[in-house]
Amino acid sequence: MKMEGIILINITVKDLDGQVHEVQAKEGDSLMESLRQHEWGVAAACGGLCSCGTCHVYVDPEWTDKLPPAASDEQDLLDEFETTQESSRLSCQLQMHSSHDGLSVSIAPDG
């Protein structure tokens, strides 16, 4: 969707209670920026500096190969959590692009 020169990306998000939400992200913003504004979203305690992991999400398997691979600092942080899965990403490190329209993620539990 395009709005006054801004491209909006539609994202499906499953929260920690299993509720499914539809949100929109602005192209160029990180996924974290769209998730942290919701009560059910991510804490994003470090504000997107890739230093806390409180924006941890699980990317739907059909999307994992459509996103750029995790950089070493992101992977190092994810390796510290017991809840990390193969599809784990830090939403602060996922810059939204129009090709990500329809992305589906689940918020990961702390840990």
Side-chain angles (χ1 to χ4, degrees):
M1 173 185 275
K2 200 168 189 174
M3 188 174 88
E4 296 181 30
I6 298 171
I7 296 174
L8 297 175
I9 295 100
N10 296 301
I11 302 161
T12 302
V13 184
K14 184 187 287 186
D15 67 24
L16 291 172
D17 293 326
Q19 298 295 313
V20 176
H21 308 271
E22 299 294 329
V23 298
Q24 292 184 320
K26 292 179 188 172
E27 184 173 46
D29 283 356
S30 70
L31 176 58
M32 176 209 71
E33 292 173 284
S34 295
L35 297 180
R36 71 178 172 179
Q37 63 186 325
H38 301 283
E39 182 180 308
W40 49 262
V42 297
C46 73
L49 299 175
C50 193
S51 64
C52 71
T54 59
C55 66
H56 181 194
V57 296
Y58 302 130
V59 175
D60 188 284
E62 74 177 55
W63 281 93
T64 53
D65 291 338
K66 298 176 185 176
L67 298 171
S72 61
D73 57 342
E74 177 184 1
Q75 192 58 58
D76 289 346
L77 190 54
L78 287 168
D79 288 343
E80 294 180 21
F81 304 124
E82 292 179 14
T83 57
T84 296
Q85 299 178 0
E86 191 173 320
S87 64
S88 288
R89 293 299 303 268
L90 298 179
S91 61
C92 69
Q93 299 302 297
L94 296 174
Q95 298 300 317
M96 295 292 91
H97 185 272
S98 60
S99 64
H100 300 141
D101 191 59
L103 175 66
S104 181
V105 300
S106 298
I107 297 177
D110 289 340

